[in-house]
Amino acid sequence: LSAAILTMQTIYDTYPNAVNENLIYKDLIHKCIEYLNDHLNDICNKHNLNKNNSKTFLTNSKLKEMPSINSFLIFTIEYYKRHKANLIKGRKPKSSDIIDLCHIRNLPYVDIYSTDSFFGEFAKKRSIEFGTQVVTSLVELKDVLEKNGIVP
């Protein structure tokens, strides 16, 4: 994935008007479905399903029935959008970002998700889709826990 992000950055730097996040998102969905190809074959054979119809269904659903994959794709695009424009003005990508992207795929499965302020900025905007509250500090976490009656 980090190679894909660097490739996207290079493409954007070279052809800034040619890059479209929606096309990248669709391409990532396609790549995920292709990656799952062997598993899809097994499932289709086991349940006597048409593989092409199954691929079409997965593509059209944008993998929303697989929240961890869907959230990973959503946040990868959000991450990319924050880095594509001007690396001098923006935050320089960190080597630990790939781990943060892997962790954020768990966001759909929890009520409260804690992350750093950079990832929290765009996670808060998209977390509503998953019904998750995002916090970026211990003070914020304490406030959320108290508000929900979890901590007195």
Side-chain angles (χ1 to χ4, degrees), residues 84-128:
K84 73 173 186 176
N86 186 340
L87 290 178
I88 296 168
K89 289 182 184 176
R91 173 186 170 274
K92 188 174 182 176
K94 297 180 180 180
S95 59
S96 63
D97 287 351
I98 193 69
I99 300 302
D100 289 330
L101 283 168
C102 288
H103 287 160
I104 207 164
R105 75 176 191 266
N106 295 305
L107 188 137
Y109 301 105
V110 298
D111 296 323
I112 302 168
Y113 183 83
S114 177
T115 189
D116 64 23
S117 59
F118 174 76
F119 277 89
E121 176 189 329
F122 58 86
K124 284 182 181 183
K125 292 177 185 173
R126 300 302 299 260
S127 65
I128 296 166

Side-chain angles (χ1 to χ4, degrees), residues 22-75:
N22 291 327
L23 293 177
I24 294 169
Y25 182 58
K26 287 178 184 179
D27 187 51
L28 287 173
I29 290 169
H30 174 74
K31 285 182 179 9
C32 281
I33 292 169
E34 289 305 312
Y35 178 78
L36 298 170
N37 192 49
D38 290 342
H39 297 293
L40 189 58
N41 277 338
D42 294 342
I43 291 168
C44 288
N45 289 336
K46 181 178 180 179
H47 299 285
N48 197 28
L49 299 171
N50 180 290
K51 183 177 173 185
N52 289 329
N53 290 345
S54 298
K55 280 185 170 185
T56 300
F57 173 80
L58 289 171
T59 301
N60 292 340
S61 74
K62 298 180 182 176
L63 303 172
K64 288 185 179 179
E65 300 302 320
M66 298 178 208
S68 65
I69 294 174
N70 177 255
S71 65
F72 181 77
L73 296 177
I74 286 170
F75 292 118

Side-chain angles (χ1 to χ4, degrees), residues 120-143:
E121 176 189 329
F122 58 86
K124 284 182 181 183
K125 292 177 185 173
R126 300 302 299 260
S127 65
I128 296 166
E129 298 171 38
F130 304 109
T132 302
Q133 256 187 300
V134 175
V135 297
T136 58
S137 70
L138 290 176
V139 170
E140 199 176 354
L141 176 60
K142 181 179 178 274
D143 291 344

